[in-house]
Amino acid sequence: MKVSIITATYNSSNTIIDTLKSLENQSYPNIEYIVVDGASKDNTLEIIKKYSTKVSTIISEPDKGIYDALNKGIEASTGDIIGFLHSDDIFAYSTAIEDLVNTLINEQSQAIYADLEYVSKENTSNVVRRWISGNYRHSNLKKGWMPPHPTFFMKRNLYKQYGSFDLNFKISADYDSLLRYLWLNNISVSYLPKVVTKMRVGGESNRSFLNILKKTKEDILVLKKNNIFWIYPLLMKNLSKLPQFIKK
């Protein structure tokens, strides 16, 4: 099966080399790598062209933010499965994609997710938080549970069938998409109990107190849109993050 990996970039020169290296080191042989750049003003594109041998497509033009860029990547993709690797993220080990694909095939699922580590900006070996997803239960979506989106791989035809990211959401479009696929349309999904992705801390949703407030408002709208009464899941969604800070 061909796997399309999509990376959205914008002035990502400080981190993109690590991202590229982790993709270059993947053992899985059939990867289509798509980079969607928002017309970076630094040397992001030069770094990509110099250090990556696996880039299949580069789209470089102004966009409306990360979700718009990811939508462009989905539209340009030709793989059987789509996954995302953000420009400040890395795959945790060299057989991460291989493990995800093999599990999805063996369990005959339409999508798969795994575990994620939040790491220091300066040192990706320094784990700040660990997101252990746990086994999938459809009912847990009403309790605020969600899988870590950077580990979520899904068959491409489902993006065509159920839609990609809703650009009305600037911060919570990934949460909306997951509820749409998992809650409203109840696709089959598998869990790989391994850390497959490392994410540097300081993402868009938690960059400032104002952004936290914006995300909370968007999460409420997302829950309402997907026909889930919002108070309990919103509370549990935030409380469930506390164990992530306990290092094991």
Side-chain angles (χ1 to χ4, degrees):
M1 300 183 82
K2 182 194 289 187
V3 179
S4 298
I5 301 295
I6 300 168
T7 296
T9 65
Y10 181 70
N11 293 344
S12 305
S13 60
N14 290 334
T15 60
I16 192 63
I17 290 180
D18 291 340
T19 304
L20 295 173
K21 286 181 179 178
S22 77
L23 191 283
E24 293 281 318
N25 290 334
Q26 288 302 298
S27 61
Y28 194 76
N30 196 4
I31 296 174
E32 173 186 58
Y33 189 34
I34 299 171
V35 176
V36 185
D37 180 74
S40 289
K41 295 177 174 59
D42 63 4
N43 61 335
T44 296
L45 287 176
E46 288 78 5
I47 292 172
I48 292 169
K49 292 173 183 177
K50 181 176 180 180
Y51 290 99
S52 178
T53 63
K54 292 189 176 182
V55 173
S56 309
T57 302
I58 297 178
I59 301 169
S60 183
E61 60 189 20
D63 55 47
K64 300 174 184 177
I66 185 171
Y67 297 119
D68 184 32
L70 296 179
N71 281 350
K72 291 179 181 181
I74 292 170
E75 187 63 30
S77 67
T78 62
D80 303 291
I81 302 167
I82 291 177
F84 304 103
L85 181 65
H86 298 314
S87 62
D88 50 1
D89 296 352
I90 60 174
F91 286 117
Y93 59 100
S94 62
T95 60
I97 294 178
E98 185 175 350
D99 287 349
L100 287 162
V101 174
N102 287 342
T103 303
L104 185 145
I105 292 173
N106 291 337
E107 298 188 5
Q108 298 183 341
S109 298
Q110 295 171 299
I112 188 168
Y113 66 92
D115 299 330
L116 177 141
E117 287 179 343
Y118 292 90
V119 296
S120 167
K121 279 186 177 182
E122 295 75 23
N123 180 7
T124 57
S125 297
N126 180 22
V127 178
V128 178
R129 294 163 55 189
R130 183 173 285 111
W131 187 340
I132 304 300
S133 306
N135 292 320
Y136 177 71
R137 291 182 181 85
H138 185 256
S139 60
N140 283 347
L141 294 163
K142 289 184 71 174
K143 302 174 184 177
W145 179 90
M146 66 175 288
H149 188 260
T151 73
F152 185 76
F153 282 53
M154 187 172 76
K155 290 187 176 179
R156 183 173 64 92
N157 66 295
L158 297 180
Y159 284 102
K160 304 296 183 183
Q161 185 174 354
Y162 300 129
S164 49
F165 296 103
D166 185 343
L167 299 188
N168 289 310
F169 301 111
K170 304 301 181 185
I171 300 176
S172 299
D174 53 349
Y175 185 34
D176 169 64
S177 69
L178 289 171
L179 287 181
R180 193 182 333 130
Y181 309 140
L182 301 177
W183 176 252
L184 290 184
N185 293 288
N186 199 20
I187 67 170
S188 59
V189 60
S190 295
Y191 169 49
L192 176 65
K194 291 183 178 181
V195 173
V196 301
T197 304
K198 296 186 176 187
M199 171 187 282
R200 284 181 169 89
V201 292
E204 185 66 26
S205 63
N206 56 14
R207 190 168 292 163
S208 68
F209 180 70
L210 181 59
N211 273 17
I212 292 172
L213 288 179
K214 287 181 180 178
K215 177 168 175 55
T216 300
K217 290 180 180 179
E218 285 201 2
D219 282 351
I220 292 172
L221 294 174
V222 163
L223 288 160
K224 288 180 176 179
K225 176 188 172 186
N226 289 281
N227 300 325
I228 299 176
F229 185 64
W230 63 270
I231 295 177
Y232 181 70
L234 184 65
L235 176 65
M236 294 306 297
K237 184 172 183 282
N238 290 309
L239 289 177
S240 67
K241 295 178 182 179
L242 295 178
Q244 298 173 14
F245 293 90
I246 301 174
K247 295 185 177 182
K248 299 180 180 180

